[in-house]
Amino acid sequence: MNPPEAVLEAITSVTGVRPTSWRHVVAGHTHAEKWRAELADGRAVFVKAATEPSASAQVEREAAVLDAVAGPYMPTVYGAATVDGWAVLVLEDLTSAHWPPPYPDGGEALLESVKRVADTTPPPGLERRPEGRPFGTYWQRIADDPEPVLAHGRFSATWFEEAQPILHAAESAARLAGDDFLHDDVWHGNVCYAERGAVLIDWASAQVGDHRVDLAYALLSIRSTGATPPRVDFADEAAYAALLAGANAFQAAQPVDQSIKHESVLRAGWLHDLEFALEWACELLELPAPCRK
């Protein structure tokens, strides 16, 4: 797929140079299109562009976050523009970076970047995670309608009956609201290793909340590649392990929003991460390993 003329015009207005060649990139789960573009002055850039409303809104949200916050854990931004209904974001090209898996250092640099994110003052206007649990814990929601989750076969009804009260109680202790800057979508597909350290991409979901949410997802990302993460100071770790196990189990059994592309890949990712999150939670809570059907 070639970029429309409107996208080429946006790239030119942002960089001051017309693209001479490009390659369409298939990545991510939104309807935003992506290209790696070569510019006439020899530079290469990465481009996100969208006209579909939900994807366009995500591009604009990410552009606002990247414009407001600078850090080595963020991609360098050339700029953003809207031309003929196309929201366009132009970023540094990270193609030559190392993209896990595997994590070359066992995840040390990722955990350092997540700590730096948490230490950053959130930009104004970011959505905040709500206090409390207006919909209950994931494990309670699963108990209310267990069949769709049990149908995935990751654990038996007998195991679930024994483990659910313990997982629900543990998850209830995980605090989501807070005053920390969150990436809120940490997984290995959104991480690359550049010379300056671990860079997090895709900032459209950034929120204000408890930094342990990002830390938990970072640790799960490392675990889900088969690596043992470095030891970290993590208060209430079992609560967040139970949270992530419940979140992956619940999400994998729900209909996927129409704004999402590659539904089967996304669902497979949730189920993959579920196995590692369950192992983690069971280890910390001294639960028996899940029995499959």
Side-chain angles (χ1 to χ4, degrees), residues 6 19 52 66 72 105 109 122 135 145 151 177 185 206 217 220 233 239 265-266:
E52 189 274 332
L66 294 176
D105 59 352
F135 300 105
D145 184 18
D185 193 15
Y217 273 105
L220 178 58
D233 182 15
V265 175
L266 184 60

Side-chain angles (χ1 to χ4, degrees), residues 8-222:
L8 297 177
E9 289 180 12
I11 298 170
T12 304
S13 71
V14 164
T15 64
V17 183
R18 177 85 176 179
T20 56
S21 63
W22 43 80
R23 175 175 60 85
H24 188 238
V25 178
V26 178
H29 296 287
T30 72
H31 288 277
E33 302 295 346
K34 304 171 183 71
W35 291 272
R36 181 182 184 272
E38 299 277 355
L39 306 182
D41 62 3
R43 288 179 294 169
V45 295
F46 185 78
V47 181
K48 287 185 178 182
T51 53
E52 189 274 332
S54 63
S56 180
Q58 286 194 326
V59 170
E60 291 170 348
R61 280 199 302 273
E62 181 173 12
V65 173
L66 294 176
D67 183 60
V69 179
Y73 52 78
M74 282 186 157
T76 302
V77 185
Y78 286 96
T82 300
V83 178
D84 291 342
W86 280 89
V88 181
L89 176 61
V90 184
L91 305 168
E92 71 174 303
D93 175 36
L94 291 165
T95 304
S96 62
H98 172 79
W99 294 82
Y103 284 99
D105 59 352
E108 292 265 9
L110 169 60
L111 295 175
E112 177 60 28
S113 289
V114 166
K115 181 179 183 301
R116 289 180 176 182
V117 173
D119 290 340
T120 300
T121 301
L126 271 191
E127 182 179 341
R128 301 183 70 95
R129 279 186 170 268
E131 295 285 348
R133 299 292 179 82
F135 300 105
T137 70
Y138 284 109
W139 287 107
Q140 183 57 57
R141 294 163 77 180
I142 294 169
D144 291 341
D145 184 18
E147 291 308 315
V149 174
L150 292 174
H152 284 306
R154 264 45 183 190
F155 47 78
S156 67
T158 301
W159 179 88
F160 176 67
E161 184 176 356
E162 176 186 350
Q164 189 274 340
I166 299 169
L167 290 163
H168 163 67
E171 185 191 341
S172 297
R175 184 170 180 263
L176 306 183
D179 297 316
D180 304 319
F181 184 37
L182 297 180
H183 178 278
D184 212 31
D185 193 15
V186 178
W187 67 290
H188 66 78
N190 282 344
V191 181
C192 70
Y193 275 49
E195 289 186 6
R196 62 184 183 271
V199 178
L200 296 168
I201 66 166
D202 286 349
W203 285 86
S205 299
Q207 290 189 333
V208 178
D210 192 298
H211 71 277
R212 287 173 291 183
V213 174
D214 272 358
L215 175 58
Y217 273 105
L219 291 171
L220 178 58
S221 175
I222 298 165

